[in-house]
Amino acid sequence: MATMDKKNVSMNDVAIAAGVSLKTVSRVINEPDSVRESTRDRVHAAMETLGFRANFAARSLKLGRYGCIGVVMFHLSGGAVDMIDGIADAAEERGFALTMIKKRAGEKMTLAEAARRMSQLPVDGMIFNLRQMVDDFDTFEAPKDLKTVIITPMEHPTCSTVSDDQEGGARMACEYFLDHGHKNVYFVSGKKESLSSQCRMKGWRAALEARGIEPPEPLQGDWNADSGYAAGLVLADKPDCTAVLAANDYMANGVMVALRDKGLSVPDDVSVIGFDDELYKTIPNSILTSVKFRHRELGIRALNEVVAGLEAPSSRSRTLVSGVLVERASVRDLRA
Amino acid sequence: MATMDKKNVSMNDVAIAAGVSLKTVSRVINEPDSVRESTRDRVHAAMETLGFRANFAARSLKLGRYGCIGVVMFHLSGGAVDMIDGIADAAEERGFALTMIKKRAGEKMTLAEAARRMSQLPVDGMIFNLRQMVDDFDTFEAPKDLKTVIITPMEHPTCSTVSDDQEGGARMACEYFLDHGHKNVYFVSGKKESLSSQCRMKGWRAALEARGIEPPEPLQGDWNADSGYAAGLVLADKPDCTAVLAANDYMANGVMVALRDKGLSVPDDVSVIGFDDELYKTIPNSILTSVKFRHRELGIRALNEVVAGLEAPSSRSRTLVSGVLVERASVRDLRA
DNA sequence: TTGCGAAATGACAACGTTGTCATTTCGTTA
DNA sequence: TAACGAAATGACAACGTTGTCATTTCGCAA
């Protein structure tokens, strides 16, 4: 039957309806085994009838914790979906919900601001997803009582960080080229301000230098296929260009199309590797070899790191999630 | 100076430090104008020194609201990013944070379960993002005190719903073909269980039937380019096939590549339209005409709908966000 | 039946805020 | 200076839970 609920139903209401004390109702919820079965049933019945739902605020106030992890999205891009997915699944598994806020488009947000806003919300710890540099990165200090994990390729002086190993992934791709007999590798970057792009470039550079090769001038892209196409047109005219590493698959595809438009074959004339392994969704029979990062795993690790640090918020660790080279047919073996 | 904080700092601590009453501290936070400036400064100084941060639980308990909107992601896919972005921005603007939970991969989750879990969390209202059918869709009743908005193309008997106008978008694309002189339109669908795919198919069918055209058998795809390619191979052999509507851009691209591989030209021999307008990111100089949905707008509307309904949770409305046809060169005009 | 330890239940305070209402202080005018 | 109304501040209860500790009830052996 519909109950005339003018107000919210409290444990006290349930207690009265069931003819027991407030505390017994509490016990039915939190330690059911300590309540006699007949009593328990009576209480459950009363809860059902009245439509009782435990009050989150009162519970958290008493317990001193929320069971929520805050997530700050400084940037919400494509790869973010899988990461959120990982965070959310891991949270679920450990009995936490997520509280999310986002940097407003166009606005600037510092870590300090993010922390201040988060600490007004129901959170026991927090994750910052940071894909670009922020002004106060080095000086930021997390609240002492709120474990903070930053997802970023940069090391932070006091906070735990988690990241894909972007640099390592780029190095891996580069070495793959070199191991297949290529003497040099050209690079097409993403947007300048992107940390991912910067790290991928760094890894590319490092891999070449480690083998005593002078890295050629990188070509500037903007993540989209058209910018890759433009770069490809330039590269097609360079006789020494046998290998191109593009900072994502979209640009890699642009490069490939440009090369073909200029009469060159991939991989016979020029080999190409991209990042993120997304092209196969869009292009039938895609041949692009690509470095794939495990965003989902990244999210899981970030969440686990927060939860592990809840008791010791000032602990600090650094986690790198390695990438995987998905081999297809876009790289030619020049040996033999 | 570092303060020896064994415990959390409460308003009471601040009050004592500032030599004022508890209530005055409360006023400094909530109605600063009602406090004399000198007092206010003293309180602020004390808060600063002690590192005071208001306790969310206590505040919510007293106020009876949380300032958070719950978001349940039944499915977390590509387009979801923009939608979350819209939800988050709109929430921010109206002073709300988001509390998010997700259906675990592989698990089944009913609306009732989602509602039950959400009502244990700090939320004043909730948004369900539902892309596939669930068992209890028709029988579900939202908690009476928790405004619930479902993002889904289906109408719900008691809850407010918000959706892209998928059906209308498909109809629009179809009519665009017909208005350009095409006599029939073939359709490549996405995954069977996807509501988007179902709605797009429905719109396609409706548009043809409205002009007295018998819709041909739709081709079954799975959203990825390879399935579009397979469909394209089939379609290339149909002499009456001049127009293909694919349920997303990836499959549309697959279709186009297959047609070209079979020696047909797009758009000279066959015209193609896709959905989502994503191909230009991947393909340089993309010519694909595509129906684009405004996911961000969708999120904004959903959030606004929740907030608008906070005072009257049982109100019910239905919002459709129209799509936009992004014209490129993949449709040939057969008239004249 | 009585007595006993264990199990079940209850009374009450406390968590940290905000609302209500009473009290004090202030600035102004007589 | 006294008196007054308005502004500023304070005391106390209340929000709905859980922890502590006291009390009652139960099952079983003597």
Side-chain angles (χ1 to χ4, degrees), chain B residues 291-334:
Chain B
V291 179
K292 175 182 194 161
F293 291 109
R294 295 171 296 157
H295 298 298
R296 197 161 180 291
E297 179 67 20
L298 180 68
I300 293 174
R301 296 280 192 93
L303 189 111
N304 287 345
E305 187 61 38
V306 174
V307 173
L310 287 184
E311 301 307 320
S314 57
S315 63
R316 179 169 166 279
S317 70
R318 171 150 179 80
T319 306
L320 277 186
V321 180
S322 65
V324 178
L325 189 75
V326 181
E327 281 191 70
R328 294 207 184 75
S330 63
V331 176
R332 177 173 168 202
D333 194 337
L334 296 181

Side-chain angles (χ1 to χ4, degrees), chain B residues 20-21 23-24 27 34-36 39 61-62:
Chain B
V20 297
S21 82
K23 181 64 206 188
T24 296
R27 270 192 268 259
S34 74
V35 175
R36 199 197 319 256
T39 316
L61 174 57
K62 199 67 182 97

Side-chain angles (χ1 to χ4, degrees), chain A residues 20-21 23-24 27 34-36 39 61-62:
Chain A
V20 298
S21 81
K23 181 65 205 186
T24 297
R27 270 192 269 259
S34 74
V35 176
R36 199 196 321 255
T39 315
L61 175 58
K62 199 67 182 95

Side-chain angles (χ1 to χ4, degrees), chain B residues 90-150:
Chain B
E92 178 80 3
E93 187 161 334
R94 292 161 155 283
F96 285 87
L98 300 180
T99 299
M100 227 183 76
I101 61 174
K102 210 195 72 106
K103 184 181 86 64
R104 291 267 288 283
E107 239 175 32
K108 239 184 177 182
M109 179 158 75
T110 62
L111 294 179
E113 275 167 39
R116 193 181 42 72
R117 284 182 44 201
M118 260 300 164
S119 62
Q120 309 271 63
L121 294 174
V123 297
D124 302 323
M126 47 191 183
I127 298 177
F128 292 175
N129 180 42
L130 195 61
R131 312 297 286 249
Q132 300 184 191
M133 203 35 162
V134 287
D135 291 340
D136 66 340
F137 185 83
D138 291 309
T139 59
F140 172 70
E141 287 200 41
K144 290 176 298 297
D145 55 346
L146 223 47
K147 173 67 180 176
T148 305
V149 170
I150 310 181

Side-chain angles (χ1 to χ4, degrees), chain A residues 48-223:
Chain A
E48 188 71 26
T49 308
L50 299 178
F52 169 78
R53 292 195 334 256
N55 181 291
F56 177 88
R59 182 164 225 267
S60 312
L61 175 58
K62 199 67 182 95
L63 294 178
R65 55 191 165 73
Y66 296 103
C68 295
I69 302 295
V71 177
V72 183
M73 299 303 288
F74 282 79
H75 193 64
L76 205 45
S77 68
V81 173
D82 289 331
M83 200 194 65
I84 295 178
D85 193 64
I87 294 178
D89 274 358
E92 178 80 1
E93 187 161 335
R94 293 162 154 281
F96 285 87
L98 299 182
T99 299
M100 226 183 75
I101 61 174
K102 210 196 72 105
K103 183 180 88 62
R104 290 268 288 284
E107 239 176 32
K108 240 184 175 182
M109 182 158 73
T110 61
L111 295 179
E113 273 166 42
R116 192 181 43 71
R117 285 182 45 200
M118 262 299 166
S119 62
Q120 311 270 63
L121 294 173
V123 297
D124 301 324
M126 47 192 183
I127 299 177
F128 292 174
N129 180 42
L130 194 62
R131 312 297 285 249
Q132 298 185 191
M133 202 34 160
V134 286
D135 291 339
D136 66 339
F137 185 83
D138 291 310
T139 58
F140 172 70
E141 287 199 42
K144 292 177 295 295
D145 54 347
L146 222 47
K147 174 65 181 178
T148 305
V149 170
I150 310 181
I151 299 182
T152 174
M154 298 172 297
E155 279 207 56
H156 190 274
T158 59
C159 292
S160 293
T161 59
V162 177
S163 175
D164 318 283
D165 187 7
Q166 308 258 7
E167 204 177 318
R171 221 163 34 225
M172 174 167 55
C174 231
E175 281 162 6
Y176 184 83
F177 277 133
L178 301 176
D179 292 346
H180 281 68
H182 292 262
K183 300 297 175 213
N184 203 346
V185 179
Y186 279 82
F187 184 76
V188 182
S189 77
K191 285 199 170 142
K192 255 198 300 286
E193 63 273 24
S194 155
L195 289 173
S196 292
S197 177
Q198 289 165 25
C199 290
R200 289 168 189 188
M201 191 183 313
K202 201 164 152 195
W204 157 74
R205 209 165 246 145
L208 290 184
E209 284 169 352
R211 304 246 188 142
I213 301 171
E214 170 77 8
E217 187 66 20
L219 287 89
Q220 175 76 46
D222 67 2
W223 294 129

